C-alpha cells in the first residue's frame, strides 16, 4: 500500500512534452507569420535581386519565442510550402527555382539560423534574469544574423551570381542596418511575449 502511494504523487512538476497540441499550433501559427511577412513588398537593394524584407524579423521572432526545435519546424514548414508551389517567398515567388537565385543563401540560412537562435534563446531564459533577457536576445539575434544569415547569404551570391567574395560581401553590407533594427524589434517583442505568456517557452525550458 505504501509503495503504491509513493508512486502516485502529483505529476505537475514533470517536463511538458516537446510536441504537444500547443506546440503544433504554435509551429503552424509562426510558419504563417513568416509567410505573411513575405507578402509585404520588399525594398530592392542593388541589382542582385535580393530585397530587404520583413522575413528576417519574422524568423528571429519565431526563434526567440519558440526555441530551437519548434522554430526550425516552423521555418521548415514555411520552406516546404514555398518549395511545393505556394507563392509565399518574397515577391510572391514559389518553387525550388528560388534556390538558383541570389537569395538562395538567405533562404537556407533561415532554417539554420532559426534553430541556432532558438537554442540560444533557451539558454538565455535559463541563465539570464527577466530584466536582462531582451538585451541578450538582441545580442544573440545579431550574432546569429552575422555568423549564419549573412555568411550563407554571401555564399549564395557567390555560387549563384558568380560574384567574387569581395563583391558579395559589399552587396551584403547593405542589409546590416535593417537587420540590426529588426533584431531589436524581435528582441523586444519576444520579451513581451514571454512575460505575458510564460507557458510558451519560459516554463517549458525551466522545467526541462
Amino acid at each position: 500500500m505504501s509503495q503504491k502511494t509513493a508512486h502516485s504523487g502529483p505529476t505537475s512538476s514533470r517536463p511538458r512534452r516537446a510536441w504537444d497540441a500547443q506546440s503544433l499550433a504554435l509551429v503552424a501559427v509562426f510558419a504563417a507569420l513568416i509567410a505573411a511577412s513575405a507578402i509585404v513588398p520588399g525594398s530592392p537593394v542593388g541589382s542582385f535581386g535580393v530585397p530587404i524584407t520583413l522575413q528576417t524579423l519574422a524568423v528571429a521572432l519565431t526563434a526567440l519565442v519558440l526555441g530551437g526545435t519548434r522554430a526550425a519546424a516552423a521555418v521548415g514548414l514555411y520552406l516546404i510550402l514555398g518549395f511545393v508551389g505556394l507563392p509565399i517567398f518574397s515577391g510572391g515567388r514559389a518553387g525550388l527555382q528560388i534556390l538558383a537565385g541570389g537569395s538562395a543563401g538567405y533562404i537556407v540560412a533561415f532554417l539554420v539560423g532559426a534553430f541556432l537562435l532558438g537554442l540560444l534563446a533557451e539558454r538565455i531564459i535559463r541563465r539570464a534574469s527577466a530584466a536582462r533577457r531582451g538585451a541578450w536576445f538582441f545580442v544573440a539575434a545579431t550574432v546569429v544574423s552575422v555568423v549564419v544569415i549573412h555568411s550563407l547569404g554571401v555564399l549564395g551570391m557567390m555560387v549563384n551570381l558568380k560574384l567574387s567574395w569581395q563583391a558579395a560581401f559589399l552587396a551584403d553590407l547593405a542589409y546590416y542596418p535593417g537587420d540590426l533594427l529588426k533584431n531589436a524589434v524581435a528582441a523586444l517583442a519576444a520579451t513581451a511575449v514571454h512575460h505575458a505568456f510564460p507557458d510558451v517557452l519560459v516554463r517549458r525550458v525551466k522545467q526541462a
Side-chain angles (χ1 to χ4, degrees):
M1 182 70 176
S2 60
Q3 291 180 348
K4 183 177 181 180
T5 302
H7 288 84
S8 61
T11 60
S12 60
S13 61
R14 293 179 184 175
R16 298 174 63 182
R17 292 179 298 170
W19 292 104
D20 54 15
Q22 182 194 54
S23 292
L24 294 175
L26 287 170
V27 165
V29 167
F30 276 86
L33 173 66
I34 298 170
S37 71
I39 295 175
V40 179
S43 301
V45 175
S47 58
F48 299 119
V50 186
I52 295 176
T53 70
L54 293 179
Q55 285 177 290
T56 48
L57 169 60
V59 170
L61 180 61
T62 298
L64 293 174
V65 170
L66 297 188
T69 304
R70 294 184 301 171
V75 175
L77 176 59
Y78 161 73
L79 293 178
I80 289 171
L81 293 175
F83 289 150
V84 300
L86 291 182
I88 54 176
F89 293 132
S90 62
R93 294 173 293 173
L96 288 172
Q97 62 267 26
I98 196 171
L99 295 179
S103 60
Y106 298 100
I107 294 292
V108 173
F110 286 166
L111 181 61
V112 180
F115 179 66
L116 294 178
L117 180 55
L119 292 182
L120 289 175
E122 294 175 15
R123 188 175 183 86
I124 290 166
I125 286 173
R126 286 192 183 99
R127 294 176 175 256
S129 65
R132 296 183 177 181
R133 194 174 290 159
W136 281 111
F137 280 169
F138 172 74
V139 171
T142 301
V143 169
V144 170
S145 178
V146 172
V147 174
V148 177
I149 306 294
H150 289 275
S151 295
L152 290 179
V154 167
L155 180 60
M157 287 191 284
M158 291 172 62
V159 172
N160 288 345
L161 302 180
K162 310 303 181 185
L163 298 179
S164 66
W165 180 87
Q166 294 87 345
F169 176 76
L170 289 175
D172 178 72
L173 284 179
Y175 304 103
Y176 273 79
D179 279 358
L180 289 174
L181 177 59
K182 286 181 280 188
N183 289 340
V185 172
L188 291 173
T191 302
V193 169
H194 289 313
H195 177 74
F197 306 102
D199 280 338
V200 171
L201 186 62
V202 175
R203 289 174 184 166
R204 180 183 298 272
V205 166
K206 291 187 175 180
Q207 289 173 1

